[in-house]
Amino acid sequence: MAWKKILYERQSYADNYVDHTFLDELKKNVNTHTYRFWPTVIESGVITQQLSSIVLFVAAFAFMNADKLSLKAVFLLSGTAAVLGYAAYRCICVSTATLPAISSFNVIEESQTKRSVTDDLKTAILFLALAYGLSPILHTLTESISTDTIYAMTAAMLFGNLVLYDYGPNAAMVSGTVSFNAAMFASVCIASRLATEWHTFATVTLAVEMFALMPILRRKLKARYGWHVQVGMTLLLNTAAFLSLCELYPPCAVIFLIIFIFITFGCPLWLIRIQPLKDNIHGPWDEASCDTEVPTHL
Amino acid sequence: MLLGIFLLWVLLRSPLLPTVADSVLFFAENLVRILQELLNWLMGVPAGLKLNVPLNFALGKFFLYHIYLWKGYIAILLMPNLAPLLLCIALVGIGGVSFQLSMLSDLMGLLTFHMYCFYVYAARLYFLMFYAVRSLFRLFRGKKWNVLRERVDSCSYDMDQLFAGSILFAVLLFLLPTVLMYYAVFTSLRVAVIVIQSTLSALIGFINSSPVYPVILWLRQAPATKGNIKYTILSSSQSNCIWLSMELETASLENILQHSFPACQERAARCTYFRPLLTSLLQGELVGSAGLFGKRDN
């Protein structure tokens, strides 16, 4: 008797018997995405942007430590950047809302909680008050810990921020919360090494701006305006980081440049080179998976 | 009781009472001096550990002020009343030496009351910090304690919760070793006092349950110690019934001792209390004298 692929009738074969037509249902590389060079290069900008913002933060600390950057300059810069950035964010929100709402991206935005300007203002005041009130404590927090330990902890935390940052994929390792918290912990560690309490306050505020507010703005700009703005932001941030490293410690600037070229051009080339070697097999034996994810703006 | 009366006679007859009063006062003042030196040691560099200077200073000043108040308490309340108090303790010996021992234990509690206060302050502060650090560490990882299911669950926090949480976490984490140092010192002092008081309590319990009275009764063959009934058959006359003579026999010594020992065995069985004690010490929960050797029986 021919074997039928059913279980509701008793057959003379074992329950887990398969015949020669089994492998006909094998499909290879069904969901593979073929990468093209230039779009991948543009997308890699996300990583380099985060890296350069970390570098800029550390450079700002180093300049403040060496008294090359005055406190007033830091306050002015961060204040104007925050105000301008927030204004830009609000404009983009408004202009996105008035677009013809076809793209699913708008649907996501509508469904998220609408934060009004008052909410954001309240958060900002809360944060500034907390940082200002805690800055005397923060200033003497790590006096009894050696400088090397502090630098090591800061470096580890910032590295954690870089690795665990939410670049976009739905991987298990990604954790926006942990990366932000690690960055804040690093900023507290390093801010306690500065001269006065105002310096500490400035560093913590700068850290919040660079690690919490700027990523939101960057994502918004990228979503709204596409790849031109993405390329522009990447070039701008990386040039700023490179120049500050040149000013600070030139060998580091060279290393930064090498890393930048590797991430931007080397990694996409490598990815495309090994993409044909991909050999995923799919078949009816796979676990069922629900496709409830909303397609991203890519 | 005999021991108590003996001790009372000894104390009243010999000029021992004033010297005992003097030595108690000397003990109390010595205790205060030792505590002050301990605090000054903690405010410096204790055991080579460098603690957070402002917090160390604040805590040390707080406890020193408390000692200053305590000195006033001893001078005003205790010194004039010490001799009558000791007379009372001696007089109470009419009830037996266990009365005197318990009053001694209470007197010790009174004299070390300031150490109890310090322990409670330090334990409460440490408990609060430990609890906060544990909860904020969960926030750091992006998780939360689910009260309904009693487990740790993931949670998506708002941006302002993350700001406040990560900064507070860093601050409390760095301040924890200082508070831990104070807590460890005062807890060990308090545990020493509790050990002494529990030893006295165990001694009292032992005295209370020691079978002195039954043994004396047994020696005198008193009617209360009769245990067995012994029948002897009297010479039977020709009548149908048997005449028996009934005698009450004194029970053996081991029988009597067995009856009076169950209390002691119970106490010995309850001494396996260390694991929960250690956990509550590590978490900063208050331990009392009732917790060290099981409940005090009266």
Side-chain angles (χ1 to χ4, degrees), chain B residues 3 9 15 24 33 44 65-66 72-73 77 79 97 102 131 133 138 157 160 164 172 188 209 212 239 241 292:
Chain B
L3 270 176
W9 177 80
V24 165
R33 191 180 53 84
Y65 182 66
H66 196 272
Y73 163 81
L77 283 180
M79 255 170 35
V97 84
S102 24
Y131 187 72
V133 165
R138 286 189 206 117
Y157 288 100
D160 36 6
L172 288 177
S188 37
S209 62
V212 173
S239 60
C241 45
L292 204 57

Side-chain angles (χ1 to χ4, degrees), chain B residues 83-224:
Chain B
L85 194 65
L86 283 173
L87 193 65
C88 255
I89 292 182
L91 281 175
V92 134
I94 293 175
V97 84
S98 55
F99 266 76
Q100 288 180 330
L101 282 178
S102 24
M103 293 232 22
L104 188 68
S105 170
D106 289 338
L107 179 68
M108 180 153 199
L110 268 181
L111 286 178
T112 57
F113 185 65
H114 54 327
M115 292 201 318
Y116 177 64
C117 280
F118 286 179
Y119 165 70
V120 171
Y121 299 152
R124 276 272 159 255
L125 189 63
Y126 174 71
F127 175 69
L128 214 62
M129 276 200 122
F130 186 72
Y131 187 72
V133 165
R134 215 164 40 165
S135 172
L136 287 173
F137 182 61
R138 286 189 206 117
L139 181 138
F140 192 93
R141 283 155 48 210
K143 299 204 189 297
K144 195 179 80 160
W145 175 254
N146 187 343
V147 184
L148 186 64
R149 296 294 192 107
E150 289 183 4
R151 65 178 183 200
V152 177
D153 270 346
S154 60
C155 169
S156 59
Y157 288 100
D158 288 338
M159 205 40 107
D160 36 6
Q161 290 171 325
L162 285 179
F163 291 161
S166 49
I167 292 194
L168 280 176
F169 174 67
V171 168
L172 288 177
L173 189 68
F174 282 117
L175 293 179
L176 196 67
T178 311
V179 176
L180 180 62
M181 187 75 193
Y182 275 86
Y183 173 68
V185 166
F186 291 132
T187 308
S188 37
L189 285 175
R190 175 75 188 145
V191 166
V193 170
I194 289 181
V195 161
I196 297 178
Q197 279 185 325
S198 303
T199 321
L200 278 175
S201 162
L203 195 62
I204 293 171
F206 175 67
I207 291 176
N208 275 342
S209 62
S210 64
V212 173
Y213 185 58
V215 168
I216 292 180
L217 283 183
W218 180 81
L219 282 174
R220 293 190 47 223
Q221 313 259 326

Side-chain angles (χ1 to χ4, degrees), chain A residues 62-207:
Chain A
F63 284 136
M64 271 200 279
N65 220 9
D67 275 331
K68 282 195 203 161
L69 191 62
S70 78
L71 201 56
K72 281 197 190 137
V74 174
F75 275 130
L76 262 169
L77 271 173
S78 52
T80 38
V83 169
L84 286 177
Y86 186 66
Y89 177 77
R90 278 288 157 205
C91 289
I92 298 179
C93 275
V94 165
S95 73
T96 319
T98 53
L99 270 184
I102 298 179
S103 64
S104 52
F105 178 62
N106 279 343
V107 175
I108 306 170
E109 286 297 296
E110 297 285 329
S111 60
Q112 280 171 1
T113 49
K114 278 270 178 220
R115 289 179 61 96
S116 65
V117 181
T118 349
D119 282 338
D120 290 335
L121 199 64
K122 269 197 287 194
T123 311
I125 290 178
L126 167 77
F127 179 69
L128 284 173
L130 195 68
Y132 180 64
L134 284 179
S135 56
I137 302 181
L138 288 176
H139 181 57
T140 54
L141 202 60
T142 56
E143 262 179 333
S144 56
I145 304 185
S146 78
T147 316
D148 290 337
T149 318
I150 296 287
Y151 286 164
M153 267 201 297
T154 313
M157 288 291 157
L158 286 175
F159 181 70
N161 179 34
L162 187 64
V163 166
L164 297 171
Y165 180 73
D166 187 11
Y167 296 112
N170 291 321
M173 191 179 74
V174 165
S175 172
T177 318
V178 179
S179 81
F180 174 64
N181 284 330
M184 291 309 297
F185 192 86
S187 74
V188 165
C189 282
I190 209 165
S192 57
R193 281 283 163 221
L194 289 169
T196 71
E197 291 148 14
W198 286 104
H199 283 101
T200 316
F201 176 55
T203 314
V204 173
T205 325
L206 190 68

Side-chain angles (χ1 to χ4, degrees), chain A:
Chain A
M1 195 167 64
W3 172 78
K4 284 183 282 184
K5 197 181 170 192
I6 50 175
L7 281 179
Y8 48 80
E9 279 177 14
R10 215 174 256 288
Q11 305 182 73
S12 55
Y13 301 95
D15 276 347
N16 56 358
Y17 174 79
V18 287
D19 63 353
H20 60 91
T21 59
F22 178 62
L23 285 176
D24 292 349
E25 299 179 61
L26 175 74
K27 295 188 190 82
K28 283 206 179 184
N29 291 338
V30 174
N31 299 328
T32 321
H33 186 181
T34 356
Y35 296 105
R36 290 172 295 147
F37 184 66
W38 287 112
T40 317
V41 167
I42 292 172
E43 288 307 323
S44 74
V46 192
I47 306 176
T48 42
Q49 279 171 17
Q50 182 68 7
L51 179 65
S52 52
S53 67
I54 291 178
V55 166
L56 279 172
F57 174 67
V58 175
F61 163 74
F63 284 136
M64 271 200 279
N65 220 9
D67 275 331
K68 282 195 203 161
L69 191 62
S70 78
L71 201 56
K72 281 197 190 137
V74 174
F75 275 130
L76 262 169
L77 271 173
S78 52
T80 38
V83 169
L84 286 177
Y86 186 66
Y89 177 77
R90 278 288 157 205
C91 289
I92 298 179
C93 275
V94 165
S95 73
T96 319
T98 53
L99 270 184
I102 298 179
S103 64
S104 52
F105 178 62
N106 279 343
V107 175
I108 306 170
E109 286 297 296
E110 297 285 329
S111 60
Q112 280 171 1
T113 49
K114 278 270 178 220
R115 289 179 61 96
S116 65
V117 181
T118 349
D119 282 338
D120 290 335
L121 199 64
K122 269 197 287 194
T123 311
I125 290 178
L126 167 77
F127 179 69
L128 284 173
L130 195 68
Y132 180 64
L134 284 179
S135 56
I137 302 181
L138 288 176
H139 181 57
T140 54
L141 202 60
T142 56
E143 262 179 333
S144 56
I145 304 185
S146 78
T147 316
D148 290 337
T149 318
I150 296 287
Y151 286 164
M153 267 201 297
T154 313
M157 288 291 157
L158 286 175
F159 181 70
N161 179 34
L162 187 64
V163 166
L164 297 171
Y165 180 73
D166 187 11
Y167 296 112
N170 291 321
M173 191 179 74
V174 165
S175 172
T177 318
V178 179
S179 81
F180 174 64
N181 284 330
M184 291 309 297
F185 192 86
S187 74
V188 165
C189 282
I190 209 165
S192 57
R193 281 283 163 221
L194 289 169
T196 71
E197 291 148 14
W198 286 104
H199 283 101
T200 316
F201 176 55
T203 314
V204 173
T205 325
L206 190 68
V208 165
E209 262 183 49
M210 298 204 80
F211 296 117
L213 305 181
M214 202 156 71
I216 303 179
L217 183 63
R218 293 203 307 250
R219 269 187 220 128
K220 263 287 193 206
L221 282 173
K222 183 171 167 226
R224 176 76 176 87
Y225 291 115
W227 65 271
H228 302 93
V229 172
Q230 164 80 342
V231 172
M233 281 197 297
T234 311
L235 285 176
L236 180 67
L237 279 172
N238 283 291
T239 324
F242 182 68
L243 287 175
S244 51
L245 276 181
C246 277
E247 177 81 24
L248 206 56
Y249 190 58
C252 240
V254 174
I255 297 178
F256 179 73
L257 193 63
I258 294 174
I259 294 178
F260 173 71
I261 293 178
F262 175 66
I263 295 180
T264 317
F265 298 109
C267 284
L269 265 178
W270 197 3
L271 183 66
I272 293 175
R273 187 75 63 80
I274 61 176
Q275 187 72 336
L277 298 173
K278 203 167 167 113
D279 195 11
N280 280 347
I281 47 177
H282 303 268
W285 52 82
D286 284 338
E287 272 178 35
S289 66
C290 308
D291 192 15
T292 54
E293 294 150 354
V294 185
T296 66
H297 53 274
L298 272 179

